[in-house]
Amino acid sequence: MRILVLSLLRVGDLFQQRPLLKRLRELYPTADIEVVTNLSCLSSKKLFPEITAWHGFDRDRFQKSLGTAEIPLLAPVVDLENWIAGFTSEPIDLLLNFTHNRLSAQMAAMIPAREKRGLLAEVRGFRVFENSWLRHFNDRFSVKNGTPFHYAEALAGSFAIDLPAPPVSETKGSTVFVQALTSDQKKNWSLSSWKNLVDQIRLERPELNVKVLGAEFEEEKLLTVFESEDLAILDWEHLQVALQKSQLLITGDTSVKHLAASLGVPILELALGSADPFRTGVYAKNAFVLHAAVECAPCVHSQPCRQMSHLCGENLSLKDVVRTTLQILSGDEPSPPLNKKIKLYRTDFVAGAGWMLSANAVDAVDQAAWKLALDGEKIPALGSTAWELKKLLLREDLQVLQKEQRELEERLSQAESSLKQIGRQLLAGQHEAHLLQEVRRAMNSVTSLSTRVRRHLLDLNEVGIEPFPSPLHFYGAFKKRIEELKVRTEMRGKLIQQLLLGEKEHGKESGESSDGSLKTLGEGV
Amino acid sequence: MKSLSEQWVRAHAIRAPHIVVLGLGDGDHLREWLAENESSRITVIETEAVKIAQCENQTWASSVDFLHIVTSDALMEHPVMKLMAEKMPPVLCFQPGYGSSKALYDEYFKILTGRNLRGLNYFLDYLGFNGERSIEVSLGGRLITIKELGLMIDTHHSGHQRATAIRVLRELVI
C-alpha cells in the first residue's frame, strides 16, 4: 500500500503533524508512507523514521515563476505536472492532504490516487465537506476563538485518525535550553531579556547547564548579546538528541517547541505576538505557557505589529519569567504572574475532551460535547465520556453548564423561528429586507454570553454579517448552520444529562458526597 | 559605468537552457547573456531583416536562432509557437530594440507568454483543452477569465512590461 501525505506548510507544522504520522505508521505497518513537503523542511526528515520517502517541492521557485512576467503563463502548471509525474508512476492508494490551503488542494487534484482525503480542488470549487471535522477545521480553525481544539486534534479528526494522549512532560537531564528567536519578530521577546533570564538562572541555579539554542543562520544575531560558549548551534538531529537530555526548554512559539513537545520535554512557552497557545500550543501534558493576553493578541501572523510598541513583549516582565522558570525548575507549582495581563497556563489532557490549557471542568465538558457532536453516530462514548468528566465536576460547574445550555437552546429556538419566518416570506414570493436585518441584529447580540456559548453561535453570527447574493442564499446558509448548532446543542444536552444521571446514582448509593465533587441531584442544581 | 547590454543582462537574471528574446538591436545584449549562460540557446525575434544580417555571422551567433517576423499573424503560424508550447522558455524583451515597433513587440510578448486571447488559446489547444470553453474578456481586453479552468488573467499591469502580469494567482498561489 502506498500512502502519500501533503504537508506543505512549515517545519513547525510538520512537527505538529508528527503524532498523526506516527499513528498512520501504527495503523498501516507495512505501507509505504511518503510525504510531499517544501524543500526547506527536508533537513528535518531524519527525525521521522516512520516515513518511507520524501518528495521536496520547490515552492519558492514555483511562486516566483507565477509572478515573473517573462515566464509563460501556463509554465508553472506544466512544471508542476511534470514534477508530480516524477513520483506517481507507481499507483497511490491513499492521498491525505494535511495542508488545507489552495495550493495543496490544487496539487491534491493533480495527483492520481485511488482515494483522496482532505481539501481537494474540483472544477467548481473546493471539496471540503466530506466529514464534519474537516468542515469544522475549514470553517473555524483560522477564526479567533473559533474552535476549542488543538491543531493536532482537529487535523486528526479531519482524517479519522485516532490520536493517543499527548506525551507527559518529564525532566530528562540537567540542561536548561533557551530558544530565543522565532521566525516572526512579533513573537520574539527581546534578546536582552533572554540574556538577563539566562544570567538569572545561572545565578540562582549554578549547578545547571544553560544553553541558548540556535540554527546556523541565527548565530550572528545571537552573538550580539550572548557569548559563543553560551550557544548550542545544532542541526535537527543533534537538537533532538540534546533536548532528550534536558531539564527544561524555555521558548517562544517555534518549531523547536513543537519538536520538544513531541519528545515529552518540559517546556515553558512565552507566547507573544501571533502565537496562539490555545490552538497551536505545546501539545503535551504538564507544560507551561506564559501568554501575553493583551487585546491585540494573537495578532495576524504575516503582518507587522500594528501597535506603537511591542505591547505583548513589554508586558512580559523579566521578573515574571524568572520566577516562573525557577518555580518550574524546583518542581513547585508556578504562581500566577504579577502582571495581570500575563496569563499562566498549564497544558493538560482530559479523557473524552482532549488537550486543553488549564483544564477546568466546564470547558472540558463543553469541549467533550463538541467532540462527540463532530464524531457523530460512530462514537459510543457518551457514557464513558461522562464517567471521565464527572470526576472533575463541582456543583457550581454543572450549574454553569445548565445555564449555558438554556442560553444555547433559547438562541437555537429563536434562530429556528426566524428561519421559519424567512421561509414563509420566500414561499410567498416576498422578502423583506427588514426581516433579514432583524435576524442579523438578534444573532449579533451576544455580549452577555460566555466565550463558550459565543463560540457555539459563531456560525450564526457570521450569517448575520456576511453578504449574500439573495435571501434564498441567506436562507440556505442559515438553515445549514442551525442544523449544525442543533446537533451540538443536543449532544451537549445529552452529556449534561448523563452527568446529572451519574450524580443522581452516586447520591442514591452513598448518601453522601465526596470532597469538592457535585453533591446529590437537586441540591441547588 | 555598465553598458546598456550589461545592465540588461543584470536585470534579466533568469537562468534557463533556452530563452526567447524580442528585439535584436546590435546583438550585444545577446552576446553578454550568452557569456554568462554558455550552454544556453537563444531564439531572437526581430522585425528588421537588416539587423539580423548584421548579426548572424558573429561568433556568438552559433548559439542563436534568428527569426524575422513582421506580423503577429506570422508569429502565430511560425514553428516558434510550438517551441513555446513544448518548452515554455522565458521571453525577455530588449527595449532599445523596440523603436517604432514597440506595439508589435508588446503583442508578440503577450502571444508568446499566453497573456492574450490568441496566445492563450494556442497554449490551451496544445495542452489538449479542446472544445467549448467559456472565455470572457473584460476591461477592454485586460482581464481574461476562463471559467472552466478557474483562471483569471490580468494581461496588463501598470504599464510596466516586467511587472507581474499573471492573475492565475487566486487559484494557484497560496
Side-chain angles (χ1 to χ4, degrees):
Chain A
M1 186 181 190
R2 195 177 174 208
I3 299 173
L4 191 68
V5 174
L6 301 187
S7 179
L8 292 165
L9 298 172
R10 295 179 300 166
V11 71
D13 302 288
L14 191 56
F15 287 140
Q16 288 192 90
Q17 293 162 5
R18 207 173 178 190
L20 282 78
L21 295 170
K22 283 184 175 172
R23 186 69 185 122
L24 272 179
R25 175 51 72 202
E26 288 168 6
L27 293 171
Y28 303 97
T30 59
D32 282 339
I33 300 178
E34 303 174 27
V35 173
V36 172
T37 191
N38 293 318
L39 285 181
S40 55
C41 294
L42 289 182
S43 56
S44 65
K45 66 182 183 182
K46 288 186 180 169
L47 271 54
F48 295 82
E50 58 273 11
I51 302 304
T52 318
W54 296 81
H55 307 287
F57 174 59
D58 194 345
R59 179 187 151 176
D60 289 341
R61 181 170 166 267
F62 178 75
Q63 197 104 21
K64 194 176 170 193
S65 69
L66 282 175
T68 302
E70 289 88 347
I71 306 289
L73 193 69
L74 299 178
V77 179
V78 173
D79 283 347
L80 186 56
E81 285 179 344
N82 290 338
W83 176 74
I84 287 171
F87 58 86
T88 53
S89 55
E90 296 294 319
I92 295 167
D93 298 284
L94 178 61
L95 172 70
L96 303 173
N97 183 7
F98 278 9
T99 306
H100 212 86
N101 63 15
R102 290 174 185 272
L103 175 61
S104 70
Q106 292 288 346
M107 205 183 275
M110 293 163 83
I111 294 173
R114 293 204 176 99
E115 184 186 347
K116 299 183 185 183
R117 297 184 200 163
L119 188 66
L120 185 65
E122 293 184 327
V123 172
R124 294 192 187 284
F126 294 98
R127 189 188 76 192
V128 74
F129 302 118
E130 58 191 35
N131 77 42
S132 51
W133 274 99
L134 196 55
R135 220 162 38 240
H136 175 90
F137 190 92
N138 183 70
D139 293 347
R140 286 172 167 268
F141 196 77
S142 52
V143 176
K144 192 172 175 177
N145 291 325
T147 178
F149 301 106
H150 189 279
Y151 169 77
E153 293 178 348
L155 196 66
S158 302
F159 294 92
I161 296 173
D162 56 322
L163 285 184
V168 179
S169 300
E170 285 174 332
T171 298
K172 300 171 192 314
S174 59
T175 303
V176 175
F177 286 110
V178 158
Q179 173 65 36
L181 296 175
T182 73
S183 58
D184 181 357
Q185 182 60 31
K186 299 197 309 271
K187 295 198 289 186
N188 287 346
W189 203 34
S190 72
L191 269 182
S192 56
S193 297
W194 282 109
K195 174 74 167 74
N196 289 330
L197 172 66
V198 167
D199 290 343
Q200 283 291 311
I201 297 172
R202 285 176 173 156
L203 191 66
E204 298 289 337
R205 300 292 299 267
E207 78 283 9
L208 295 174
N209 185 18
V210 186
K211 284 289 189 186
V212 180
L213 292 170
E216 273 187 34
F217 65 89
E218 295 172 325
E219 188 172 6
E220 192 179 338
K221 190 168 182 181
L222 291 170
L223 285 172
T224 60
V225 294
F226 294 106
E227 303 298 325
S228 58
E229 53 267 24
D230 294 331
L231 305 187
I233 303 298
L234 302 170
D235 59 26
W236 288 117
E237 282 176 85
H238 290 98
L239 176 62
Q240 177 164 268
V241 170
L243 285 172
Q244 285 170 318
K245 297 175 193 167
S246 63
Q247 184 160 5
L248 178 66
L249 168 69
I250 309 162
T251 175
D253 177 30
T254 65
S255 49
V256 174
K257 175 189 89 175
H258 295 304
L259 171 61
S262 71
L263 300 171
V265 171
I267 296 172
L268 168 60
E269 179 186 351
L270 308 185
L272 301 173
S274 55
D276 186 345
F278 293 91
R279 285 183 290 179
T280 53
V282 178
Y283 192 66
K285 190 170 168 170
N286 295 338
F288 292 94
V289 182
L290 283 169
H291 181 219
V294 293
E295 284 195 5
C296 48
C299 50
V300 178
H301 181 72
S302 51
Q303 292 176 10
C305 180
R306 296 184 185 280
Q307 302 300 335
M308 296 295 289
S309 62
H310 193 221
L311 279 184
C312 49
E314 288 163 5
N315 272 285
L316 187 60
S317 70
L318 177 66
K319 198 168 182 177
D320 274 329
V321 178
V322 168
R323 190 172 76 151
T324 305
T325 300
L326 294 176
Q327 286 170 333
I328 294 170
L329 287 170
S330 302
D332 298 329
E333 188 68 26
S335 318
L338 300 165
N339 183 346
K340 299 290 179 238
K341 286 190 178 170
I342 303 297
K343 304 295 177 193
L344 173 70
Y345 300 114
R346 177 199 276 269
T347 63
D348 205 345
F349 180 81
V350 176
W355 178 93
M356 300 185 69
L357 273 188
S358 292
N360 67 70
V362 179
D363 282 337
V365 170
D366 192 68
Q367 186 165 316
W370 273 93
K371 190 170 184 306
L372 288 166
L374 288 170
D375 283 340
E377 292 301 321
K378 55 186 184 296
I379 42 95
L382 185 61
S384 57
T385 300
W387 177 257
E388 291 289 345
L389 291 171
K390 72 176 185 202
K391 299 171 196 172
L392 300 175
L393 282 172
L394 299 174
R395 177 193 309 160
E396 304 85 74
D397 298 327
L398 210 59
Q399 288 174 336
V400 170
L401 284 165
Q402 288 185 299
K403 175 176 175 286
E404 289 179 353
Q405 184 67 13
R406 282 192 294 274
E407 286 166 352
L408 272 175
E409 287 168 358
E410 267 173 40
R411 288 298 177 114
L412 181 59
S413 171
Q414 189 179 17
E416 285 174 323
S417 167
S418 297
L419 185 71
K420 281 184 187 154
Q421 283 186 57
I422 297 170
R424 277 195 289 270
Q425 294 270 331
L426 289 171
L427 283 173
Q430 301 162 357
H431 60 270
E432 295 180 20
H434 79 87
L435 181 60
L436 295 186
Q437 290 300 324
E438 279 173 26
V439 168
R440 288 172 182 202
R441 255 195 307 272
M443 292 299 110
N444 281 335
S445 60
V446 293
T447 47
S448 60
L449 304 174
S450 71
T451 305
R452 279 180 298 274
V453 174
R454 276 187 267 162
R455 180 183 286 147
H456 281 289
L457 298 175
L458 191 68
D459 293 347
L460 294 189
N461 294 344
E462 284 181 349
V463 155
I465 57 176
E466 273 178 43
F468 286 95
S470 71
L472 192 60
H473 284 92
F474 176 81
Y475 178 87
F478 198 27
K479 181 168 189 271
K480 186 179 136 207
R481 290 164 201 207
I482 288 173
E483 283 164 5
E484 288 170 356
L485 177 61
K486 195 169 179 180
V487 167
R488 280 202 304 279
T489 306
E490 285 176 356
M491 184 57 73
R492 198 173 183 278
K494 283 181 192 172
L495 183 57
I496 293 172
Q497 285 304 313
Q498 282 285 320
L499 291 167
L500 289 169
L501 194 64
E503 286 308 316
K504 193 189 280 185
E505 286 174 356
H506 173 79
K508 279 181 186 170
E509 282 168 14
S510 67
E512 58 188 82
S513 66
S514 52
D515 268 355
S517 71
L518 186 64
K519 297 189 180 168
T520 55
L521 180 68
E523 284 187 60
V525 172
Chain B
M1 190 170 125
K2 289 192 169 60
S3 68
L4 202 62
S5 298
E6 286 168 333
Q7 288 174 39
W8 185 88
V9 172
R10 296 290 165 272
H12 292 82
I14 290 180
R15 296 287 176 265
H18 196 141
I19 63 168
V20 172
V21 176
L22 299 177
L24 179 51
D26 58 6
D28 273 352
H29 57 298
L30 302 188
R31 178 174 50 79
E32 289 286 344
W33 198 89
L34 285 168
E36 297 202 4
N37 299 273
E38 287 177 359
S39 56
S40 296
R41 188 150 194 91
I42 300 177
T43 296
V44 62
I45 296 174
E46 171 56 53
T47 57
E48 295 180 42
V50 63
K51 289 190 176 172
I52 293 176
Q54 284 168 353
C55 291
E56 60 188 352
N57 293 318
Q58 300 287 328
T59 51
W60 44 266
S62 59
S63 298
V64 179
D65 298 313
F66 296 89
L67 305 184
H68 178 225
I69 300 177
V70 297
T71 66
S72 50
D73 287 343
L75 177 63
M76 287 297 301
E77 298 298 321
H78 198 281
V80 72
M81 288 303 296
K82 190 155 180 267
L83 167 75
M84 289 306 305
E86 278 175 359
K87 298 202 175 148
M88 301 215 186
V91 179
L92 312 185
C93 308
F94 183 63
Q95 288 195 323
Y98 277 16
S100 58
S101 304
K102 185 178 185 312
L104 187 57
Y105 280 121
D106 284 348
E107 175 82 0
Y108 288 176
F109 180 81
K110 288 180 180 175
I111 289 171
L112 291 168
T113 57
R115 278 176 178 70
N116 67 7
L117 214 48
R118 291 180 85 181
L120 188 58
N121 266 326
Y122 185 96
F123 282 104
L124 291 174
D125 280 338
Y126 185 86
L127 291 172
F129 287 96
N130 292 320
E132 290 293 315
R133 277 196 299 275
S134 168
I135 301 182
E136 292 176 3
V137 182
S138 54
L139 296 181
R142 175 171 168 172
L143 199 64
I144 298 175
T145 305
I146 308 174
K147 287 184 178 174
E148 184 186 313
L149 299 181
L151 293 179
M152 279 176 65
I153 301 142
D154 187 347
T155 62
H156 173 77
H157 183 78
S158 68
H160 193 291
Q161 190 72 47
R162 292 200 299 277
T164 303
I166 298 175
R167 288 298 294 273
V168 176
L169 314 172
R170 285 192 63 79
E171 296 304 318
L172 284 178
V173 174
I174 297 167

